[in-house]
Amino acid sequence: MNRFGFVVVAVVCVAVAITSHAQQGLSGKWQGTTAQGRSVGLELKVSGAELTGTFTRDQQSANIAEGQVDDKTFSFTVHVDGKAATFTGRLAGEAIELTIQGSKNTVTLTRAK
């Protein structure tokens, strides 16, 4: 293999490893509190670009639907009491910044211990 081919293969391998690490970093249990004092929790599983799991606010849980992951960002929808709510999030180091569609408020979640 010539030098150029080797460099291309190395760059692709590093990119795949970084993306895989970021996606696997989302998997697990996360918890936080809104500015109004409501508890929020996520239990996430990542498989490729698909995100599944459970969203919990206070004591009410809902399955994640339409979950997607793109590098360190993700989105999903939950259905509670016949209403749909769409969330976007971002993995920021050891925390998740979560926002509900239509709101400027962000909830920071940390990995549950």
Side-chain angles (χ1 to χ4, degrees):
M1 177 182 298
N2 65 28
R3 183 179 287 192
F4 178 74
F6 178 76
V7 170
V8 170
V9 169
V11 168
V12 169
C13 288
V14 168
V16 168
I18 289 170
T19 300
S20 176
H21 175 71
Q23 290 174 348
Q24 293 307 313
L26 286 172
S27 292
K29 293 183 180 183
W30 300 84
Q31 60 190 20
T33 306
T34 67
Q36 295 79 26
R38 301 179 86 173
S39 65
V40 176
L42 290 174
E43 186 168 343
L44 303 176
K45 292 182 184 179
V46 177
S47 178
E50 182 180 9
L51 179 71
T52 59
T54 306
F55 170 85
T56 304
R57 186 180 67 201
D58 294 331
Q59 299 297 324
Q60 192 170 18
S61 296
N63 289 328
I64 290 173
E66 304 169 24
Q68 299 177 343
V69 177
D70 183 15
D71 193 25
K72 292 184 179 186
T73 62
F74 62 95
S75 63
F76 64 88
T77 301
V78 294
H79 299 273
V80 178
D81 296 331
K83 297 179 183 178
T86 300
F87 293 83
T88 57
R90 181 175 77 87
L91 182 62
E94 295 297 317
I96 288 178
E97 296 171 351
L98 186 66
T99 306
I100 189 168
Q101 183 178 13
S103 174
K104 294 182 180 181
N105 297 331
T106 300
V107 177
T108 301
L109 306 175
T110 57
R111 195 170 296 277
K113 297 179 181 180

